[in-house]
Amino acid sequence: MDECIFCQIASGKMESFKVYEDDDSFAFLDIHPAAPGHTLVVPKKHTADIFDIDEISLRRLAGSLRHIASKIKNAIGSDIMIMQNNGRAAGQIVDHIHFHVIPRTEGDGIGLMRGMAELTKEQMEEIQNKIKEASSDD
Ligand code: AMP
Ligand code: ZN
């Protein structure tokens, strides 16, 4: 994918602050970090998102992800938040699957908005059943 930014970083055509590389994946600093050390973990092979990547590649990526998260935790001395967006409404800007590894410290103000969709017991059961009974493309 010539036009994909992360493919260009993978091939070395575009510069990045790379912090890790193995046969299948690499990691580099996010250019607009939520915190110092905010890193993106990416497979070298272009795949769009969590639904596009094959299971073996995803397992390998998960191994690299934990390895890098541990390195960042030790380097920064922080806790770690891991985030991965699929689709525009979810906040995905770059259509090459990536995991955000974000160092977290007490009171840093970063975080998911929780309690935005408080539901009744009936509504919780309705969505529970809908998810349980839904098909999966997996
Ligand atoms: P997402 O919103 O999950 O698709 O995240 C894409 C991330 O890629 C954003 O946090 C951007 O700041 C980051 N990003 C985009 N271009 C680059 C680049 N050339 N080098 C490093 N990070 C980038
Ligand atoms: Zn790509």
Side-chain angles (χ1 to χ4, degrees):
M1 290 284 275
D2 283 355
E3 71 279 13
C4 170
I5 302 170
F6 291 175
C7 283
Q8 287 180 35
I9 291 175
S11 68
K13 275 188 212 151
M14 187 180 280
E15 282 188 9
S16 73
F17 295 93
K18 223 172 250 188
V19 292
Y20 175 82
E21 183 165 6
D22 61 33
D23 287 348
D24 308 300
S25 62
F26 63 105
F28 54 98
L29 298 181
D30 193 304
I31 206 162
H32 299 301
H38 178 171
T39 296
L40 302 174
V41 184
V42 176
K44 287 182 176 173
K45 185 177 158 215
H46 182 90
T47 39
D49 57 25
I50 198 84
F51 308 112
D52 191 33
I53 192 168
D54 68 88
E55 194 170 332
I56 291 171
S57 302
L58 183 59
R59 282 174 191 270
R60 288 208 189 103
L61 190 61
S64 305
L65 175 63
R66 188 166 72 161
H67 179 70
I68 294 153
S70 176
K71 282 166 74 73
I72 294 171
K73 181 178 169 66
N74 290 337
I76 311 277
S78 63
D79 287 341
I80 296 291
M81 181 168 80
I82 293 174
M83 191 178 78
Q84 195 268 320
N85 301 322
N86 300 282
R88 293 289 173 268
Q92 183 175 16
I93 300 167
V94 178
D95 291 332
H96 180 136
I97 187 172
H98 52 280
F99 284 84
H100 295 256
V101 180
I102 304 173
R104 295 294 310 273
T105 47
E106 290 294 343
D108 62 16
I110 304 166
L112 271 182
M113 300 289 278
R114 273 169 239 182
M116 294 286 285
E118 302 290 3
L119 302 178
T120 63
K121 183 170 181 291
E122 289 72 27
Q123 288 171 320
M124 290 293 263
E125 284 167 356
E126 191 185 332
I127 194 74
Q128 175 188 28
N129 290 329
K130 200 169 176 184
I131 294 168
K132 281 169 74 174
E133 286 157 20
S135 61
S136 167
D137 299 325
D138 196 11

